[in-house]
């Protein structure tokens, strides 16, 4: 493999992994707090849609990004209300929200764009860290990315720090492992879980915006096409630890990028198998073949004060 | 005397809760859907007419809706069966895909058409059910041996199966039809006439197939197994308290694997029904959302077989109506997705009150 091809491969791996980074980090926080957000797919789609509409309507992708994040808040609050206040089944509500959002965004997209569906949507600018962008071969292909990626990486680093080093991180952990003890020690499990779900929503919206206004500068119906489920798979594969989750996202991104690279190298592997690979790896991981997985003890268990 | 009376009043009240609340949720979701139709600028009357026409406007429409409902109900029965052991089978989508693939392989290349009499269509169905059973059992084994959460494993298995299906119709070495030119679609050949499910009336204008009586028999079998058999009792014991069940000598691993395998078999059979009953050709979009709809039907039924049937019919007619909504009234099918999503969320929310009423008793 020539350095050029390698550089392009690394670049597209990172680009394809970026939305997974964001969504999986959000999902990780909520799962660590005990809520399995199956609705991360719907949250991503909400962000992708609202971000695209906002950017198209205002002509300003930055405003689009803000609108995308704001639009996800009602969706996240709905998930939080159903799973924390009404203690509804988290899988049912997640799938319900995904079906609802897919329908609603498709409907709204046709209404708003209709015949204008080919109109240009302003996208987020690309940026490379000074110095890295000037590297030979790799600078352009790997480091020149939508700036949202770099913002996302900063947010992820912040999240990792909060989870590992702060009282808030400890509270989140406690709510997912021993909600009863957390409650006894004066912590509001419900409030913590609300906040965790809201955080998932915001991160997922950023992930969705990365897809629509960051990467391809348009919106297509159901464009997340399973990325949200992939983010959940990454959290599982990552054994609910942030570093391993990010590695899983990178692995999934690489598997997807291979689809475009292998034919260039003259290697014929069916696309479907490469797309399937992340799910297969995640299955092997939860099956205990990649070391013992330990989910937060109270994951999917509604809390009753 | 007074005792029986009050018991009757109680069960009536319970009926009111278990039928009234879902009915209210469905009606509310439909009303919200009507508002959306208005917002789009299509007269509600016109949209309703198109919906009704597609759902039950002709013999053909009625049969198509019921055939859809059959697939949903099978997945739903499987869900209820596994749920009795406190297992959540989210894998209907993958089990349908596996069933569809195997039924296609058996019909086209397994020599099913050469089998005598009804075996020509029974054999592919059986293979589909067997494949679904293995797919489901895999999740059961992972659960019993590695403690893997079956929600996660069945979900992952679904995605794997869906992409296997995609691969199988893309690759000529597998199920893709022989490519004569570049326009050859990535789908299988049509399955032979003999391997298709016989139509009950023999009339292609009313294509209700033999899956209907099969599903009715299966509904009765599942209901009886759950309510009356030792196996049904064991499942419930495992679901209520696995530790106590093990102490009582109930084989835990075997019960879990059997429950998931049976749920998977029903999902695989649904795939066979869809392929041999109305699609006849395997395509990438073959299972699109049917497994998730069936899952939701099972979830909403709250453990009741009649509930599964009601939900499956509702979703079957809604899907058919929704397709026509787009074709004749220019309202995107997506509207049906919105209404379905609303129904699911309203019922999930309502479960809170239902449970409170039930525990208050």
């Amino acid at each position: 493999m020539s350095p050029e091809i390698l550089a392009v491969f690394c670049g597209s791996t990172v680009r394809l992994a970026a939305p997974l980074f964001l969504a999986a980090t959000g999902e990780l926080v909520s799962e660590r707090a005990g809520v399995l957000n199956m609705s991360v797919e719907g949250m991503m789609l909400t962000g992708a849609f609202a971000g695209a509409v906002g950017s198209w309507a205002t002509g300003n992708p930055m405003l689009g990004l803000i609108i995308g994040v704001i639009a996800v808040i009602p969706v996240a609050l709905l998930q939080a209300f159903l799973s924390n206040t009404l203690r509804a089944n988290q899988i049912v509500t997640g799938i319900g929200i995904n079906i609802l959002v897919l329908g609603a965004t498709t409907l709204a997209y046709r209404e708003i764009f209709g015949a204008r569906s080919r109109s240009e949507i302003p996208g987020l600018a690309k940026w490379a860290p000074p110095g890295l962008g000037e590297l030979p071969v790799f600078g352009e292909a790997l480091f020149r990315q939508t700036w949202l990626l770099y913002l996302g990486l900063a947010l992820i680093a912040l999240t990792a720090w909060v989870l590992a080093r702060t009282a808030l991180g400890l509270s989140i952990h406690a709510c997912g492992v021993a909600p009863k003890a957390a409650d006894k020690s004066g912590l509001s499990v419900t409030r913590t879980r609300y906040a965790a779900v809201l955080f998932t929503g915001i991160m997922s919206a950023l992930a969705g915006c990365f897809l629509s206004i960051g990467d391809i500068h348009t919106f297509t119906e159901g464009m997340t096409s399973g990325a949200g489920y992939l983010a959940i798979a990454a959290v599982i594969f990552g054994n609910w630890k942030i570093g391993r989750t990010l590695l899983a996202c990178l692995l999934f991104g690489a598997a997807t990028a291979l689809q475009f690279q292998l034919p260039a190298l003259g290697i014929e592997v069916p696309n479907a198998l490469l797309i399937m690979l992340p799910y297969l790896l995640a299955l092997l991981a939860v099956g205990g073949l990649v070391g013992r997985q330990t989910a937060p003890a109270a994951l999917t268990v509604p809390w009753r004060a | 005397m007074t005792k029986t009376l009050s018991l009757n009043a109680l069960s009536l009240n319970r009926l009111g809760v278990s039928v009234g609340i879902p009915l209210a949720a469905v009606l509310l979701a439909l009303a919200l859907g009507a508002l959306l139709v208005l917002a789009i600028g299509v007269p509600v009357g016109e949209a309703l007419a198109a919906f009704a026409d597609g759902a039950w406007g002709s013999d053909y429409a009625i049969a198509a809706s019921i055939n859809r409902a059959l697939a949903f109900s099978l997945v739903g029965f499987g869900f209820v069966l596994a749920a009795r052991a406190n297992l959540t089978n989210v894998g209907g989508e993958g089990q349908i895909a596996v069933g569809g693939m195997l039924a296609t392989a058996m019909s086209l290349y397994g020599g099913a058409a050469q089998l005598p009499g009804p075996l020509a269509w029974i054999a592919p169905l059986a293979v589909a059910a067997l494949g679904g059973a293995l797919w489901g059992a895999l999740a059961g084994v992972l659960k019993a041996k590695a403690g893997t959460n079956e929600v996660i494993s069945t979900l992952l298995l679904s995605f794997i199966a869906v992409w296997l299906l995609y691969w199988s119709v893309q690759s000529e070495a597998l199920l893709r039809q022989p490519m004569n030119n570049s326009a050859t679609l990535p789908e299988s050949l049509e399955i032979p006439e003999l391997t298709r499910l016989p139509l009950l009336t023999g009339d292609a204008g009313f294509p209700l197939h033999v899956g209907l009586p099969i599903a009715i028999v299966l509904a009765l079998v599942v209901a009886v197994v759950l309510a009356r058999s030792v196996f049904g009792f064991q499942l419930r014991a495992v679901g209520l308290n696995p530790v106590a069940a093990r102490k009582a000598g109930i084989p835990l691993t075997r019960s879990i694997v059997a429950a998931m395998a049976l749920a998977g078999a029903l999902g695989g059979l649904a795939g066979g029904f869809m392929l041999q009953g109305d699609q006849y050709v395997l395509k990438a979009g073959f299972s699109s959302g049917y497994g998730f709809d069936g899952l939701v039907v099972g979830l909403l039924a709250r453990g009741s077989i009649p509930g599964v049937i009601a939900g499956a019919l509702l979703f079957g007619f809604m899907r058919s109506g929704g397709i026509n909504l787009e074709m004749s009234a220019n309202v995107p099918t997506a509207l049906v997705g919105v209404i379905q999503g609303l129904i699911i969320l309203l019922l999930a929310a309502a479960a809170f009150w239902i449970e409170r009423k039930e525990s208050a008793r």
Side-chain angles (χ1 to χ4, degrees), chain A residues 13 17 20 38 97 115 158 176 186 196 199 206 242 247 249 289:
Chain A
T13 296
L20 297 180
M38 294 279 275
I97 288 175
L158 185 67
F199 179 72
L206 291 176
I242 201 160
L247 273 179
C249 293
L289 292 173

Side-chain angles (χ1 to χ4, degrees), chain B residues 151-242:
Chain B
V151 172
I152 289 160
S153 63
T154 49
L155 187 71
L156 293 171
L157 280 166
S158 274
F159 281 104
I160 292 171
V162 164
W163 288 108
L164 277 177
L165 167 68
Y166 183 82
W167 181 36
S168 76
V169 294
Q170 291 284 336
S171 164
E172 247 189 304
L174 297 166
L175 295 173
R176 184 176 188 164
Q177 57 184 332
M179 282 201 280
N180 300 319
N181 56 55
S182 58
T184 306
L185 291 171
E187 55 188 46
S188 77
L189 289 168
E190 260 193 39
I191 59 169
E193 201 88 38
L194 287 171
T195 61
R196 299 176 187 178
L197 297 185
L199 302 182
L200 289 177
T201 57
D203 173 8
F206 187 58
L208 201 58
H209 58 66
V210 71
L212 179 63
I214 298 179
I216 292 173
V217 169
L218 285 173
L220 291 172
V221 169
V222 172
V224 168
V225 163
L226 287 183
R228 302 254 178 266
S229 74
V230 174
F231 178 64
F233 169 78
Q234 291 185 341
L235 285 187
R236 186 188 287 260
V238 169
L240 288 175
N241 188 340

Side-chain angles (χ1 to χ4, degrees), chain A residues 82 86-88 91-93 95 99-100 103-104 106-107 110-111 229 236 270 272-273 275-276 279 283 286-287 292, chain B residues 40 142 146 148 151-152 155-157 159-160 163 166-167 295 299 326 332 334-335 337-338 341-342 344-345 348-349 352:
Chain A
L82 288 168
L86 297 187
R87 298 192 294 275
I91 299 142
V92 189
T93 52
I95 291 177
I99 294 177
L100 179 67
T106 303
L107 213 56
R110 300 234 186 128
E111 274 309 296
Y229 294 104
I236 300 162
L273 296 187
I275 305 171
M276 194 177 83
Y279 299 108
L283 185 71
V286 287
R292 194 79 192 167
Chain B
I40 291 172
L142 286 175
T148 307
V151 172
I152 289 160
L155 187 71
L156 293 171
L157 280 166
F159 281 104
I160 292 171
W163 288 108
Y166 183 82
W167 181 36
L295 153 72
L299 274 164
E326 177 149 346
L335 178 73
V338 173
L342 286 171
I344 296 165
L345 295 180
F352 181 64

Side-chain angles (χ1 to χ4, degrees), chain B residues 234 238 242-252 254-255:
Chain B
Q234 291 185 341
V238 169
V243 179
R246 196 207 300 270
K247 288 238 165 81
I250 294 172
L252 218 50
R254 210 194 304 158
S255 302

